[in-house]
Amino acid sequence: IIEIIEKKGEWLKGECGDEKGWFRAGYKSVKTLKIVHPEYHNYQIGRVAVESSDALVDVKRKVCQATGLNPDNLVPVSPYQIPDEYRVGHLATYVNWEPAPPELTVGDLDPKTDIFPCVYFGQAELDLRPELKYHQPDLEDQPAQ
């Protein structure tokens, strides 16, 4: 959701998630994607604002800029579609992933979710900015059960 500060023609100045700046008036197509730690999926490390027309390679660039992750190791993926004749038994609901075609955009992702599916090849914890690294909660700080 964009918080509008100023409008000039088809451009809106505002904030969308953690991003501030100018957005095109088609702001309804802007969505904020959550960035979760590649190894600790319940640990959110940031957000990026994207438009439905943004290519996944541009989203990858934004994610890497926000986190310090190595762009060579971050690969956008899409579900591999098993041909219908092979969808039998346990394969009926099987989902596998393959590298996303370069022409895919944010608008091609599932509109019901804010997930940017990707695989990270490497040790994410070593590549992340220090302030984004996962810190195990101190057991002494946890309430007694």
Side-chain angles (χ1 to χ4, degrees):
I1 296 175
I2 246 181
E3 182 180 331
I4 300 170
I5 299 170
E6 183 181 343
K7 183 175 180 181
K8 285 187 181 176
E10 67 174 32
W11 290 92
L12 304 168
K13 184 176 184 181
E15 296 181 14
C16 185
D18 293 336
E19 295 213 0
K20 298 176 185 179
W22 288 91
F23 300 90
R24 283 195 306 245
Y27 66 91
K28 291 180 183 171
S29 67
V30 173
K31 66 191 312 188
T32 303
L33 300 180
K34 298 175 194 170
I35 305 172
V36 297
H37 192 290
E39 295 164 6
Y40 302 97
H41 302 285
N42 292 330
Y43 183 55
Q44 183 176 322
I45 57 176
R47 293 178 176 269
V48 292
V50 297
E51 292 189 38
S52 61
S53 61
D54 287 349
L56 294 186
V57 294
D58 295 328
V59 176
K60 170 182 162 174
R61 180 185 48 75
K62 287 182 177 186
V63 168
C64 291
Q65 285 176 344
T67 62
L69 291 173
N70 182 338
D72 294 334
N73 293 345
L74 187 67
V75 179
V77 294
S78 61
Y80 173 73
Q81 300 301 321
I82 297 174
D84 288 339
E85 63 265 20
Y86 297 112
R87 290 190 173 275
V88 293
H90 71 282
L91 291 178
T93 58
Y94 183 74
V95 176
N96 204 351
W97 298 91
E98 63 184 347
E103 67 274 4
L104 274 187
T105 66
V106 171
D108 297 323
L109 300 176
D110 184 349
K112 296 177 286 245
T113 182
D114 61 355
I115 294 175
F116 164 58
C118 59
V119 173
Y120 194 74
F121 296 100
Q123 294 181 316
E125 194 63 18
L126 296 177
D127 295 337
L128 283 171
R129 290 186 178 156
E131 67 272 16
L132 300 177
K133 293 183 186 287
Y134 180 78
H135 298 288
Q136 184 85 11
D138 200 359
L139 294 178
E140 293 175 6
D141 295 336
Q142 300 297 318
Q145 304 225 0

